[in-house]
Amino acid sequence: MKGPFVSVIIPTYNRADTVARTIQSVLDQTYQPMEVIVVDDGSTDQTLEVLEQFDSRIQVIRQPNGGPSAARNNGVAHSKGAIIAFLDSDDTWRKDKLEHQVRMMEAGGESVPCCICNAEIVFENSVESTSFKNAQVDCGLREGYWLNPSLLIATRFLLFNQVVAIRRAAFLAVGGFNEKMRLLEDHDLAFKLSLVGPWAFLSEPMVEKSNDSDGLGVRAMKEPLIHALAWERVLHSFLDAPQARDGELGAIVRRNLGNIAIELRGKRLMLKGGVASNTLGGLLLFYLRITGGIRRRLPSWPKVDAVACLSTT
């Protein structure tokens, strides 16, 4: 398949044991033309020695440790592709991922800023679930276009970095990754892109996401407050967008901010300790689980609005 030039950005930090497998899955892609840029974010293990085996097949950029957002933005700055794709250095792609994503973006036209695909979530060499199933975005179509991506991103956590291909123009227009964020920076970028236009999607898993490694996201899930505080920060960034201040989307974002305030209160009480604090904190978190479950079952809960093809007239 011939088409637009694609740049693949792989940020890595101390992944000597996994990065070679990740890179090979990109080099094995059926799609061309393509370049592979690996940004080493200040690794202190044998990562650089591992990268040497790929010689001129990849471009290696070294930088002081600045976090994944800075590494990805740096990779984009050194790239030349009209379409940009990202892959974490402990995950892998199916060999035809880029081919299908470029096809869908080309068919949808310039109004489509990106294409996402499903991913298998792997833990201890066993498929645990898929990213679409976890986010509840299965819609019965094998492929197509989401017409309401902003409502979906505002109400779900969707695996993003490993599964997305983005038009360079759209990535730059929304400002790329927020380098002040080291957690949920992908959700922040996803929301900004969701306001640009409909998203192409592929329901078939084309990524293998490993949950075995001790990455930032895995560590954050073990800390009661870190993930909640990151989500609060993302929600406030949502409200910076004029499109998110009014209507259904604005109401959802403001409700989420109210819920995260309750969640933070509950978790802080439980961290404080003591019978009274633990009891009250537990009741607040229980309230959120119950009301959240009810809300997801209501007819007003945003469902996937998808079509098999977009009109080009």
Side-chain angles (χ1 to χ4, degrees):
M1 176 179 179
K2 294 294 183 181
F5 195 87
V6 175
S7 296
V8 180
I9 313 298
I10 303 174
T12 187
Y13 175 72
N14 287 350
R15 294 290 192 196
D17 56 337
T18 62
V19 67
R21 180 171 62 98
T22 296
I23 293 170
Q24 193 59 53
S25 78
V26 177
L27 295 175
D28 289 341
Q29 290 293 299
T30 57
Y31 183 84
Q32 291 293 333
M34 175 187 70
E35 66 177 350
V36 183
I37 299 175
V38 180
V39 183
D40 180 73
D41 191 32
S43 292
T44 57
D45 65 354
Q46 289 73 47
T47 292
L48 289 173
E49 288 87 338
V50 172
L51 297 180
E52 289 177 355
Q53 67 183 280
F54 294 100
D55 48 65
S56 61
R57 290 176 292 171
I58 66 173
Q59 178 183 351
V60 178
I61 299 170
R62 300 183 64 184
Q63 67 173 39
N65 184 259
S69 295
R72 294 186 188 103
N73 285 344
N74 193 11
V76 172
H78 285 82
S79 71
K80 55 187 178 183
I83 292 177
I84 301 165
F86 301 96
L87 182 58
D88 288 353
S89 57
D90 56 344
D91 302 324
T92 57
W93 285 346
R94 206 177 80 175
K95 65 180 181 180
D96 54 349
K97 173 187 180 284
L98 289 180
E99 179 179 342
H100 287 298
Q101 288 189 307
V102 172
R103 171 179 59 81
M104 290 298 294
M105 293 174 71
E106 291 291 276
E110 293 294 325
S111 66
V112 177
C114 63
C115 177
I116 64 167
C117 67
N118 203 352
E120 291 181 336
I121 311 300
V122 178
F123 182 73
E124 294 183 349
N125 297 318
S126 177
V127 177
E128 190 176 74
S129 185
T130 70
S131 59
F132 276 24
K133 181 179 179 180
N134 289 349
Q136 298 179 339
V137 293
D138 289 314
C139 64
L141 291 176
R142 184 173 179 272
E143 60 185 35
Y145 301 89
W146 288 347
L147 303 181
N148 62 338
S150 59
L151 291 177
L152 301 180
I153 296 301
T155 54
R156 296 152 168 88
F157 287 106
L158 177 68
L159 187 70
F160 189 70
N161 286 331
Q162 302 89 331
V163 303
V164 73
I166 309 172
R167 292 191 191 278
R168 182 186 198 86
F171 180 86
L172 296 178
V174 301
F177 287 97
N178 185 340
E179 296 187 10
K180 295 180 180 179
M181 293 183 176
R182 291 201 177 204
L183 185 65
L184 294 186
E185 76 288 343
D186 55 338
H187 204 75
D188 178 72
L189 177 62
F191 183 80
K192 291 185 288 188
L193 287 170
S194 75
L195 300 173
V196 176
W199 286 12
F201 72 90
L202 302 161
S203 292
E204 188 173 356
M206 295 190 175
V207 175
E208 184 178 288
K209 161 64 177 170
S210 174
N211 267 4
D212 296 342
S213 55
D214 188 30
L216 285 174
V218 174
R219 292 198 298 272
M221 294 307 290
K222 300 176 183 177
E223 298 290 337
L225 289 177
I226 292 178
H227 194 274
L229 287 168
W231 178 223
E232 182 183 47
R233 184 173 188 175
V234 170
L235 287 170
H236 280 296
S237 76
F238 284 6
L239 290 180
D240 290 337
Q243 306 97 309
R245 295 173 188 163
D246 302 308
E248 183 181 7
L249 181 57
I252 288 172
V253 173
R254 286 189 290 274
R255 184 180 67 218
N256 285 344
L257 277 169
N259 288 339
I260 201 66
I262 296 173
E263 181 181 348
L264 286 168
R265 172 67 173 161
K267 290 181 175 180
R268 283 171 174 143
L269 281 168
M270 297 188 74
L271 286 174
K272 182 179 179 181
V275 175
S277 294
N278 282 334
T279 301
L280 180 55
L283 286 172
L284 289 173
L285 298 179
F286 178 74
Y287 164 80
L288 287 179
R289 287 195 297 271
I290 294 299
T291 56
I294 293 172
R295 193 175 296 116
R296 285 189 291 272
R297 290 171 173 81
L298 293 175
S300 58
W301 183 255
K303 306 295 192 300
V304 176
D305 183 8
V307 295
C309 63
L310 291 176
S311 172
T312 57
T313 60

